[in-house]
């Protein structure tokens, strides 16, 4: 699942290409929006809210404001091309929306939850989210309060719940828990220093804004960028113990796979693992 910094970066790319520009054409390739058109509307802003993208537009004559909402999930992406440039991002059958200006074309591939709503109703879609780790509303005390409201919940699941704090995906979940020395299956009530964990989560995401490589080790080499994520059976960078990997029964999606070091993160481990 995309991390909050990936969505933040995507919003910034769209903002640079479209903000302040008039849309000359739009092409929605999903049934629910097939008859909609934003031609003639002006893009006012592209913003991220947790893992949600909000492309805000305004109609020139009557001032109506509409927001195009999209979610990347695991496989969605926006790409920006210069007008006349070949679209080389992904296969054409994955295109869900095309937005054109005189200078640029923004193409959305395999987007999810694509909805066009009045801007004043954005909270209908994102109002349930917790404090945004990369947003102006970031409030670590509120994030901790929400996590602590379910003391029996496993901390790994609590961190992924966007209603607690918005922006953490599986990579940061695994890396954050390693850096704090916490087993991912530890009940929230037994996790020491939740405020420190929230602060570290904010610093990790903020440090990677503006670049696509997500590093938690400080190295900008892809093979050295992370401590545990994606490193099953490789030696822990701290103690040399093989990194463990666990996916819940029947789950293969990357957002449900957990990586951790059994030695650096002692605890209960996944149910039935004997870890």
């Amino acid at each position: 699942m995309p991390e909050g910094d990936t969505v933040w970066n995507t919003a910034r790319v769209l903002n640079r290409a479209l903000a302040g520009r008039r849309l000359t054409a739009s092409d929605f390739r999903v049934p629910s929006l097939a008859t909609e058109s934003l031609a003639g509307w002006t893009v006012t802003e592209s913003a991220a809210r947790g893992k949600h993208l909000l492309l805000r537009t305004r109609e020139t004559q009557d001032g109506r404001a509409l927001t195009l909402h999209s979610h990347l999930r695991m496989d969605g992406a926006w790409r920006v091309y210069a007008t006349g440039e070949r679209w080389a991002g992904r296969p054409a059958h994955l295109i869900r929306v095309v937005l054109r200006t005189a200078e640029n074309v923004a193409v959305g591939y395999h987007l999810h939850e694509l909805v066009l709503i009045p801007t004043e109703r954005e909270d209908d879609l994102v109002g349930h989210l917790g404090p945004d780790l990369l947003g102006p509303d970031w409030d670590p005390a509120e994030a901790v309060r929400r996590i602590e409201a379910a003391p029996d919940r496993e901390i790994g699941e609590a961190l992924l719940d966007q209603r607690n704090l918005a922006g953490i995906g599986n990579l940061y979940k695994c890396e954050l828990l390693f850096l704090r020395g916490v087993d991912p299956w530890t009940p929230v009530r037994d996790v020491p220093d939740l405020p420190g964990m929230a602060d570290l989560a904010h610093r990790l995401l903020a440090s990677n804004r503006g670049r696509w490589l997500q590093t938690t080790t400080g190295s900008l080499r892809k093979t050295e960028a992370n401590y545990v994520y994606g490193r099953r059976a490789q030696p822990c960078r701290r103690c040399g113990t093989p990194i463990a990997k666990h996916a819940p029964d029947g789950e293969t999606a990357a957002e449900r796979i957990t990586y951790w070091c059994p030695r650096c993160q002692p605890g209960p481990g996944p149910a039935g693992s004997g870890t």
Side-chain angles (χ1 to χ4, degrees), residues 1 49-52 128-133 138 142-144 146-150 153-170 173 188 255-256:
M1 129 182 352
R49 179 73 174 85
K51 299 181 182 183
H52 299 252
H128 66 288
L129 298 175
D132 186 343
L133 282 152
W138 171 239
E142 174 61 15
V144 169
R146 292 184 180 216
I147 293 172
E148 289 180 333
R153 193 175 192 185
E154 294 170 352
I155 185 59
E157 287 296 319
L159 290 173
L160 288 179
D161 190 336
Q162 303 299 293
R163 296 169 298 180
N164 289 335
L165 66 174
I168 290 182
N170 205 37
K173 177 202 77 174
V188 165
E255 69 263 30
R256 301 314 244 165

Side-chain angles (χ1 to χ4, degrees), residues 7-8 20 24 36 58 81 87 114 123 133 140 146 169-170 248:
V7 180
W8 188 94
T24 58
E36 299 288 346
R58 186 170 296 276
Y81 306 98
W87 303 353
L114 202 61
D123 272 0
L133 282 152
R146 292 184 180 216
N170 205 37

Side-chain angles (χ1 to χ4, degrees), residues 199-246:
D199 176 68
L200 180 57
H202 172 66
R203 288 189 283 119
L204 285 176
L205 267 74
S207 70
N208 284 314
R209 280 185 300 192
R211 63 181 173 219
W212 298 102
L213 176 66
Q214 293 153 323
T215 178
T216 54
T217 64
S219 174
L220 295 180
R221 293 186 177 183
K222 190 172 182 179
T223 58
E224 301 174 355
N226 303 129
Y227 286 102
V228 294
Y229 185 78
R231 299 190 64 244
R232 178 182 179 271
Q234 296 181 50
C236 173
R237 299 191 192 280
R238 283 182 174 171
C239 71
T241 299
I243 297 300
K245 171 185 174 181
H246 174 74

